[in-house]
Amino acid sequence: MRGRVTLLLVFFFSLTSPAISQCSWTPRYSAQTRATVFDVAVDAQNIVWIATGYGVQAFEPRTGGALDFAGRTGIPGSTRVVAAGNGYAFAGSGTRVYVLRRNGRLLEIVSSVEAGGTVNDIVFNTAKYLFVATSNGIAHFDLFDPAAPVRTTQLISTTKPTVTSLAVSGPTLYAADGDSSVELIAIANPALPQKTGTLTSHARSVTVHVAGSSLFVSDDLGQNTDVFSGTARIARFAYGSNAFAPLSGNSYFVGGDRMLRAIDITSTLRIAEIFEQALAPLGGTNNRIYSMTRSGNTLYVAAGDIGLVTYDVSGLLTRHPVVSYADGGRSSTRLIGTAAYFTDAEKMYELAVDNNGLAMGFLRSWPTPAPSLLHDHVTAKLVASSGNDVKIWSVETPTPSITFSVTFPAPVRSAVLSGNTIVAVLLDGSVWRASTLGGAPERVNLGAGTAWSIARDGAAIAIAHITDAGNTVIRYFADVASQPRTFQVDGALIGGVGLSATHLAVFTFKGISVIELASGATRVLPESHRVIPKQLSIAGNNLLALGNSSLAVWDVPSGAQVRQHALPADGVSMHAAGNLAAIAGSGSTLIDFTATLPTGAPILTNRYYAKATANGNDLYLFGDNQVDVFWTGLGTAPNFGTNVSAPGVTDVAALPQSTFAMLSAFGTVTTHSSAGAQLAQMTINEGSDAQPLSIFAAGNALWVSVIKGCLSGTCEKKTLALDPKTLAVTTSFSGGVVDVATTASRAYVLLSLPDEVRVYDISQPQLSQLATAAAPASATSIGFSGGKVYVLAEKVYAFSESLAPAGEHLNAITAPDAHMIIDGNCAILTGRTPHPELWALPSWTTNTTIEVPSTIRSIAMQPGRLYFLTDHSLEVWMTGTPASPTKRRSAR
């Protein structure tokens, strides 16, 4: 959702230790901006719980399958696991398990407990014991009081410490820990769990799921799944089940990456794929299926930044609308009664069609003289070509046999059998016919143009030509002995001809043109140009267009598209009869094209902010190729003002006087007012190989850093100082700015190439360098307080204003994303630990940690306000009491 999108929800939470005197910052406001859905669970009351990275959200189903918002809360750290039961939800974030419950439309954090390692999975059983998979084994909790889990002293042995997945089936707990063994743990007495053995599975088994009496174990790459019955492995199939949910009988949903599938393993030797859909990414960087669960007729899919995707799967519970077998590449197909025929490079296959349960059972196969293509059939006679030859196969007898064969002067593109006559379109564009009663083939002279395709319905034949002008001419014969009627369509056809007793159809650049045979009237189906079909076919009132991995169904009388089916296998050829279509391609597929397949409906909208910057009373959040502007003059919550489109922009900076600047990847600098009006623009002119790096506000100027000369082998970084009103270059200096801190008259700058710390006098447009020193290795941030310059690297290095060394602080930590902001005698550090640290200056001896949800990506400051932009939220800290909000006109 673009445009007027603001922060998703306001609420407050603070899990802190007391603020130190110099650091009076306290959390006042938190708003989720992004929900990366990692897990989903449904409780006994049908409440849907999701773990969102930021915390937990809850939804309440209503009639029709829609979900009503039922609450949200943030949780410190990255929340990736949720389980629900006993009237509570249990969320895993970092190394802790949080207990939540609903209170109206609020979610309350009731308590939390340490799990001893990063939480990877949570399960519980009806006897009120909680099992938690962590990076340090399985933690065991007593839920006598579900609001206050108590960790027991039980030690559950596993072959590796990092347990990734748990599943419970009756008296057995299964655990995957990333090696070839799956642990079997007896929980008949859940108070005293005991390991009883292992199952041998994949080299790196990472997920376990239970359905009925079967155990499903997936590998770490999501490519293979082992199925166990008891302790015996009964199957291995080439689908990962990292995300898993039962469907019905022997059918299951499995997911990996963005692909959702349903498979039927009734025959473990010939697994059928009965549904497939690739979830479309909606933005963000984490688009994949993590988890799923089915409740009644609804499948809930936790799909990362795609959101929570819901499917109505009622149409899959009693009958398969589509079935596909990964039995190798198939090149052509025909449906005859209750049998389907497919060809590949060596054989022809006959499969029994079951229209009630929709399945294809293998009957027989036989070799063909050469790679064959099926073109037509009459009763139990199949018309197939291989090279120049056309053969008629009889399949009525126990052993299929060739009853007729003819050789044409060139390879055959397509052919039909009308009565006793074979009519063939050859690859050279000519049309020939041959009688099955005998005699040499004859060329058919149909005038100018290259013949491209032929189709038959009953005795009628349609032959499509492409003219020298690039248009399509279709000649329609009521039978092989009649004179043709001619129809013309603009553009060259693609995908052959669809023919019925009343209509014919071809696809050109305009889309699908449907011609009414009785009147000759031609119409183009609306929006039909979006997919280029491999083949067209008309079955009754249905027009079918086969795409690479889709089948579109149009209603011929109305001209409306009535269905769009995603296919489990790529298609190259199809044949339709009745309500079924057989499709040959990367597998053998049968589909009831009149059925309605489930389609996913994501319910979350995300914003993917990358940077926060602020001035005066304006906050700018940059991401999604635009800048959202918020006014912060009253209250704690930022108020949305406007957004400015920012395609190609890589960095932004806030200037005084309610102005901000954007830097594009092409070196264009643009300034805007906080109301969104463009004020000035310039393009950096530093040579053809100059690449912009960053933009900063330093006092009342803009600093833009570029890198150039790399094509000649001598990379050079340079920073240009721009007048904020005209964007004219006022001065420049060597090096690219990594970070800058300013006072009224000075700028303290951390640079790269050269790696230096410098002090500049910025009281005049022409900068004056006052001091310079070598920067500490891997320095990431700079600040100033009490006459000292502080540089953050693996530790904090202090300098005098003349940049003489003045001491070192903190323990050394490798933290490439660490950042520092100094406000008076308080330093706020991020990136060294999961949560912000507050240090009292100048001693750096008193530390306070304030927990936030998710990882911090950017910090911005206004007087009395700190903004932390995390992966999933905006956190606002304040000092003092905010002004009371008054009525203010809503921004539009």
Side-chain angles (χ1 to χ4, degrees):
M1 180 176 176
R2 301 287 180 181
R4 199 172 187 273
V5 176
T6 61
L7 309 178
L8 302 184
L9 182 71
V10 179
F11 69 90
F12 304 91
F13 76 94
S14 175
L15 298 172
T16 74
S17 51
I20 50 183
S21 58
Q22 295 93 332
C23 295
S24 57
W25 295 102
T26 55
R28 295 292 184 85
Y29 170 85
S30 179
Q32 182 176 337
T33 59
R34 170 187 181 185
T36 303
V37 184
F38 291 110
D39 200 8
V40 57
V42 180
D43 65 19
Q45 288 73 44
N46 288 325
I47 302 301
V48 181
W49 301 79
I50 59 173
T52 65
Y54 173 74
V56 170
Q57 283 183 242
F59 299 91
E60 189 169 3
R62 67 169 186 258
T63 303
L67 294 177
D68 287 333
F69 175 78
R72 176 190 291 117
T73 188
I75 295 175
S78 181
T79 308
R80 301 178 68 93
V81 181
V82 66
N86 296 330
Y88 294 87
F90 304 91
S93 183
T95 63
R96 300 187 70 81
V97 175
Y98 291 81
V99 183
L100 303 101
R101 66 184 172 198
R102 293 179 63 205
N103 181 5
R105 285 189 168 271
L106 297 176
L107 300 187
E108 298 176 338
I109 297 177
V110 179
S111 64
S112 69
V113 61
E114 179 64 36
T118 302
V119 176
N120 296 320
D121 199 6
I122 300 174
V123 298
F124 59 92
N125 69 355
T126 55
K128 295 188 177 181
Y129 282 89
L130 197 70
F131 300 90
V132 180
T134 79
S135 58
N136 192 30
I138 301 174
H140 180 241
F141 294 88
D142 187 333
L143 293 183
F144 176 78
D145 179 2
V150 176
R151 184 171 183 180
T152 73
T153 58
Q154 295 298 310
L155 297 177
I156 304 174
S157 174
T158 56
T159 52
K160 291 185 68 177
T162 299
V163 181
T164 55
S165 180
L166 299 173
V168 172
S169 178
T172 304
L173 172 70
Y174 299 95
D177 53 14
D179 61 12
S180 62
S181 68
V182 174
E183 321 296 325
L184 304 180
I185 300 157
I187 57 170
N189 180 359
L192 298 170
Q194 298 291 325
K195 178 177 175 180
T196 58
T198 61
L199 301 176
T200 300
S201 187
H202 312 285
R204 290 180 294 276
S205 301
V206 297
T207 62
V208 286
H209 298 281
V210 169
S213 60
S214 298
L215 172 71
F216 296 78
V217 184
S218 183
D219 63 7
D220 62 328
L221 298 178
Q223 295 181 343
N224 294 284
T225 294
D226 283 347
V227 186
F228 290 85
S229 177
T231 58
R233 189 178 76 180
I234 59 174
R236 171 172 287 184
F237 53 80
Y239 297 98
S241 57
N242 300 96
F244 176 92
L247 176 53
S248 63
N250 291 314
S251 300
Y252 310 93
F253 289 104
V254 294
D257 293 326
R258 291 188 292 108
M259 191 64 70
L260 173 66
R261 294 182 172 94
I263 59 174
D264 188 299
I265 63 170
T266 299
S267 169
T268 58
L269 298 178
R270 195 161 175 264
I271 292 173
E273 191 170 332
I274 59 176
F275 176 76
E276 177 179 298
Q277 185 176 84
L279 275 62
L282 303 178
T285 57
N286 202 334
N287 294 291
R288 59 163 299 179
I289 296 172
Y290 283 93
S291 167
M292 65 179 82
T293 189
R294 184 174 72 83
S295 177
N297 291 335
T298 304
L299 178 72
Y300 299 100
V301 180
D305 287 333
I306 298 172
L308 176 66
V309 187
T310 62
Y311 290 84
D312 180 352
V313 298
S314 56
L316 299 177
L317 292 174
T318 57
R319 177 178 179 267
H320 301 156
V322 61
V323 61
S324 182
Y325 301 91
D327 45 15
R330 299 291 187 256
S331 53
S332 62
T333 183
R334 298 296 292 184
L335 275 169
I336 305 177
T338 58
Y341 297 86
F342 293 86
T343 61
D344 64 11
E346 298 177 347
K347 294 182 178 181
M348 196 174 296
Y349 302 84
E350 184 181 56
L351 306 178
V353 172
D354 174 9
N355 198 355
N356 293 321
L358 204 66
M360 291 190 292
F362 179 81
L363 292 177
R364 58 183 173 170
S365 67
W366 60 93
T368 54
S372 296
L373 293 175
L374 292 169
H375 298 291
D376 198 5
H377 78 275
V378 176
T379 60
K381 299 182 185 298
L382 292 168
V383 179
S385 73
S386 54
N388 295 33
D389 299 332
V390 171
K391 294 176 171 59
I392 297 178
W393 289 84
S394 174
V395 293
E396 291 177 307
T397 57
T399 302
S401 60
I402 297 172
T403 61
F404 177 79
S405 180
V406 64
T407 300
F408 291 100
V412 176
R413 184 191 301 276
S414 58
V416 298
L417 176 61
S418 179
N420 294 321
T421 302
I422 293 175
V423 184
V425 172
L426 308 187
L427 285 179
D428 63 7
S430 62
V431 179
W432 292 71
R433 65 185 176 189
S435 173
T436 60
L437 302 178
E442 301 174 344
R443 181 164 184 169
V444 181
N445 186 7
L446 295 177
T450 300
W452 195 258
S453 182
I454 186 169
R456 181 185 66 84
D457 183 79
I461 296 173
I463 302 175
H465 290 73
I466 298 177
T467 68
D468 292 341
N471 295 318
T472 298
V473 172
I474 304 106
R475 291 178 173 86
Y476 172 78
F477 302 81
D479 56 60
V480 293
S482 65
Q483 293 299 310
R485 296 173 59 195
T486 301
F487 306 95
Q488 182 165 322
V489 176
D490 291 341
L493 89 161
I494 300 174
V497 179
L499 178 64
S500 71
T502 57
H503 294 83
L504 63 82
V506 295
F507 177 90
T508 69
F509 72 94
K510 286 187 172 182
I512 298 175
S513 294
V514 176
I515 301 171
E516 186 178 7
L517 294 174
S519 65
T522 301
R523 57 198 166 103
V524 177
L525 301 182
E527 305 298 318
S528 61
H529 64 285
R530 295 185 179 275
V531 176
I532 298 175
K534 299 287 187 70
Q535 186 180 336
L536 296 177
S537 180
I538 301 177
N541 287 329
N542 297 289
L543 170 62
L544 280 62
L546 176 65
N548 284 332
S549 57
S550 65
L551 181 66
V553 183
W554 302 77
D555 178 66
V556 175
S558 68
Q561 183 176 341
V562 291
R563 293 174 191 87
Q564 176 77 24
H565 299 305
L567 299 176
D570 293 340
V572 296
S573 173
M574 72 172 167
H575 179 236
N579 63 313
L580 300 180
I583 299 171
S586 57
S588 304
T589 301
L590 185 69
I591 182 170
D592 179 353
F593 57 80
T594 65
T596 300
L597 298 180
T599 55
I603 65 168
L604 297 180
T605 300
N606 288 339
R607 298 307 304 272
Y608 304 103
Y609 294 123
K611 183 176 181 179
T613 186
N615 59 27
N617 286 324
D618 294 303
L619 170 68
Y620 308 93
L621 301 182
F622 164 60
D624 278 351
N625 291 318
Q626 65 183 18
V627 177
D628 288 347
V629 184
F630 297 84
W631 186 70
T632 61
L634 290 173
T636 56
N639 296 281
F640 177 78
T642 188
N643 53 50
V644 178
S645 178
V649 169
T650 59
D651 201 5
V652 296
L655 284 158
Q657 292 84 46
S658 296
T659 304
F660 70 97
M662 303 188 296
L663 174 66
S664 79
F666 306 104
T668 300
V669 179
T670 309
T671 55
H672 288 263
S673 71
S674 60
Q678 181 174 317
L679 302 176
Q681 187 175 78
M682 65 87 72
T683 299
I684 296 168
N685 183 17
E686 286 292 322
S688 59
D689 70 340
Q691 299 179 29
L693 297 175
S694 62
I695 187 168
F696 287 88
N700 195 29
L702 283 172
W703 288 2
V704 180
S705 296
V706 300
I707 187 169
K708 61 180 183 176
C710 295
L711 294 180
S712 62
T714 307
C715 289
E716 171 192 357
K717 288 185 179 180
K718 182 178 180 180
T719 297
L720 310 175
L722 310 181
D723 180 281
K725 294 182 178 179
T726 64
L727 298 185
V729 179
T730 58
T731 188
S732 65
F733 54 87
S734 63
V737 177
V738 176
D739 194 19
V740 60
T742 61
T743 62
S745 61
R746 293 192 177 187
Y748 306 91
V749 191
L750 177 63
L751 296 140
S752 65
L753 202 65
D755 296 339
E756 292 182 351
V757 179
R758 297 182 197 158
V759 181
Y760 284 97
D761 184 341
I762 58 172
S763 59
Q764 300 296 324
Q766 295 293 329
L767 301 179
S768 174
Q769 182 175 309
L770 303 178
T772 184
S778 304
T780 58
S781 194
I782 193 169
F784 177 81
S785 174
K788 287 187 177 181
V789 180
Y790 296 100
V791 178
L792 177 62
E794 83 281 1
K795 59 176 69 173
V796 174
Y797 295 85
F799 298 85
S800 67
E801 287 209 65
S802 62
L803 298 184
E808 301 175 4
H809 306 279
L810 308 187
N811 296 326
I813 295 176
T814 300
D817 296 322
H819 194 72
M820 171 175 62
I821 279 186
I822 296 179
D823 175 53
N825 291 326
C826 181
I828 302 97
L829 273 58
T830 64
R832 285 171 53 91
T833 64
H835 303 287
E837 302 171 274
L838 281 66
W839 293 88
L841 304 182
S843 62
W844 293 84
T845 56
T846 306
N847 174 29
T848 296
T849 297
I850 300 181
E851 296 179 310
V852 296
S854 200
T855 302
I856 293 174
R857 296 303 179 197
S858 180
I859 316 176
M861 179 181 280
Q862 293 170 332
R865 292 175 183 255
L866 264 176
Y867 301 98
F868 294 93
L869 183 64
T870 79
D871 274 342
H872 295 92
S873 67
L874 177 71
E875 309 297 314
V876 182
W877 294 6
M878 301 180 69
T879 59
T881 302
S884 299
T886 58
K887 289 185 178 180
R888 185 169 181 261
R889 186 181 301 275
S890 300
R892 298 290 181 184

